Amino acid sequence: MTRPMDRAAAVPPTARPRLLYVDNLRTALTLLVVLHHAAIAYSNIPRWYYVETAADPSGTLLDVLLLLNQAFFMGTFFLVSGLFVPGSHDRKGTGRFLGERLLRLGVPLLVWLLLLRPLVTFGAYAEARDAAARQGAELPYWQYYLHSFTPGPMWFVEVLLVFSALYVLWRHLAAGKEGHTSGTAPAPASSPAPAPAPAPATGRAPGAVAIVGFTLGLALVTYLWRIVLPMGDPLPVLDLPTPAYLPQYAALFAVGLVAARRGWLEGLSRRTGRTGSAAAAVAAVGIVLLAVGSAGGTAFLGHGTWQSLAMAACDSTLAVGIGLGLLVLFRERLGHQGRRLRFLSTHAYAVYLVHPVVLVALGHALSGVQAPAVAKFALLAVLAVPLCWALAFAVRALPGARKVL
């Protein structure tokens, strides 16, 4: 007869309570994504599906805001994403975990590539087709689509899918090593409920020395990476929009994995949050001085210059510092969800998917409005944010959409 304690040991790991403040932080980051792309439309950085190059000095202000936001917001997104991965893998096992990753990440990626991207590139294609016609050539859409291919905003989903697969590979390699050391065979990859990893600890978060050491290490790796791939250069084949920040994305995703396992979030003190925020503010000033002080130069972008080293240090300090500050702020002040916050959180992923359609449509609709760049950005943002959540609500109402979004 099986003993009760044996039966209990066979029960797969149970779901931990949702961290509402982390959900709320993810919603805020989604809002920043929408605002970031709205700002690009009227900046001097022509990397969006609808652009009006700034004709007044306020466009430079948008450039600076974009540079500061880029230094931390997607890295923080990867940090938050990493927090959910270990527990999800523990509960579901490798097969189900990867299946759900493919469903929740792969399907939206395909929807974007096959349906939404053609919608947001229609205006650019019409201009390219007319330009080709004036030269006596034809430009079918399929040719334009392949020539101009990028994953767009869904690059984040693409990279997150790769990171998730690498995490699974690491888990199985680690399990195989343990099994070899102990003389037991590792569980097969198809096992629905692998042996649970150690329960998340409730111990201390890293101290000041560890945080500073991590930040310096990240800055050094980023500096070296940008010698080969400077800021603004695309990554061959994948064509990611911001590959210069890949060391930050990978490092903060890994921090999220470890933080979830060791219970670092609850161990972060208010003092750590305040110190991180202060360091981030100083780093932000450094980024502005480097960018504005360059007077149109490119030394801070990479290629091994001292300005590139300074920018890597400021980027890394801003990312780590503001990540600490936001986690503590949301834990202390925004650890609850009423009806409105729950609605925003529930539809945030769908907003991430559909927001380019809203921004591009509104951009064309506002094209006749004559105003400074920063004013048009503010107008677009005020109109786009509620419309993004309204469209996300409609999309999630479609049959089967809630299983994915």
Side-chain angles (χ1 to χ4, degrees):
M1 180 178 293
T2 305
R3 293 178 297 174
M5 63 180 298
D6 292 334
R7 292 177 58 193
V11 176
T14 57
R16 302 177 66 200
R18 289 197 70 85
L19 299 176
L20 296 182
Y21 71 91
V22 177
D23 278 348
N24 292 336
L25 176 55
R26 186 163 49 181
T27 301
L29 293 172
T30 303
L31 175 61
L32 280 181
V33 170
V34 177
L35 297 179
H36 188 89
H37 292 145
I40 293 178
Y42 303 110
S43 71
N44 297 297
I45 304 173
R47 295 198 172 189
W48 188 238
Y49 301 104
Y50 176 84
V51 293
E52 293 180 23
T53 303
D56 64 276
S58 69
T60 303
L61 174 60
L62 294 179
D63 296 344
V64 172
L65 292 176
L66 289 168
L67 189 60
L68 291 174
N69 196 44
Q70 186 63 64
F72 79 91
F73 79 132
M74 293 311 296
T76 308
F77 234 135
F78 278 107
L79 169 64
V80 170
S81 299
L83 292 171
F84 294 94
V85 169
S88 179
H89 183 274
D90 290 347
R91 293 190 304 272
K92 299 169 184 175
T94 296
R96 186 178 165 204
F97 173 80
L98 287 177
E100 290 198 5
R101 291 282 92 180
L102 286 172
L103 178 68
R104 298 211 66 211
L105 300 177
V107 170
L109 178 60
L110 288 176
V111 169
W112 164 258
L113 293 175
L114 299 179
L115 179 61
L116 299 184
R117 186 174 180 273
L119 290 177
V120 299
T121 58
F122 180 79
Y125 166 64
E127 293 179 3
R129 181 191 58 197
D130 293 343
R134 287 193 294 270
Q135 298 177 1
E138 292 186 358
L139 182 62
Y141 181 75
W142 68 266
Q143 188 176 355
Y144 170 82
Y145 183 95
L146 295 177
H147 180 71
S148 63
F149 176 81
T150 65
M154 296 302 283
W155 71 266
F156 170 72
V157 171
E158 184 179 65
V159 174
L160 187 57
L161 188 58
V162 173
F163 284 176
S164 298
L166 290 175
Y167 171 77
V168 170
L169 177 62
W170 174 80
R171 282 286 296 264
H172 278 271
L173 289 175
K177 184 177 180 180
E178 281 187 17
H180 178 75
T181 303
S182 62
T184 59
S190 59
S191 175
T202 56
R204 297 166 43 185
V209 173
I211 294 173
V212 171
F214 171 81
T215 305
L216 291 176
L218 176 59
L220 178 60
V221 172
T222 300
Y223 166 71
L224 296 174
W225 175 261
R226 290 178 182 176
I227 293 175
V228 179
L229 199 64
M231 297 170 65
D233 284 11
L235 185 66
V237 182
L238 294 178
D239 201 19
L240 304 181
T242 55
Y245 295 89
L246 268 178
Q248 180 193 120
Y249 301 156
L252 292 182
F253 180 78
V255 168
L257 299 177
V258 179
R261 186 64 70 205
R262 299 188 178 180
W264 285 351
L265 295 189
E266 297 304 317
L268 289 173
S269 67
R270 294 181 180 180
R271 182 180 179 182
T272 300
R274 290 193 297 267
T275 303
S277 298
V282 173
V285 173
I287 290 174
V288 172
L289 292 177
L290 283 166
V292 176
S294 68
T298 60
F300 68 91
L301 298 179
H303 305 292
T305 64
W306 70 264
Q307 294 94 331
S308 173
L309 178 60
M311 180 62 80
C314 290
D315 278 347
S316 301
T317 302
L318 179 59
V320 174
I322 206 165
L324 291 170
L326 288 174
L327 285 169
V328 173
L329 173 65
F330 275 72
R331 187 192 66 198
E332 298 296 321
R333 303 289 185 180
L334 290 165
H336 60 277
Q337 280 187 356
R339 184 177 64 180
R340 291 184 180 88
L341 281 178
R342 187 162 53 249
F343 175 85
L344 295 176
S345 174
T346 299
H347 295 84
Y349 186 29
V351 167
Y352 190 96
L353 174 64
V354 304
H355 79 274
V357 177
V358 174
L359 290 178
V360 170
L362 285 176
H364 284 289
L366 298 173
S367 60
V369 176
Q370 300 298 318
V374 71
K376 291 201 72 170
F377 157 68
L379 177 60
L380 177 62
V382 168
L383 295 175
V385 170
L387 285 177
C388 283
W389 260 269
L391 180 57
F393 175 79
V395 168
R396 291 189 77 248
L398 296 174
R402 297 193 178 194
K403 294 181 180 179
V404 178
L405 301 172

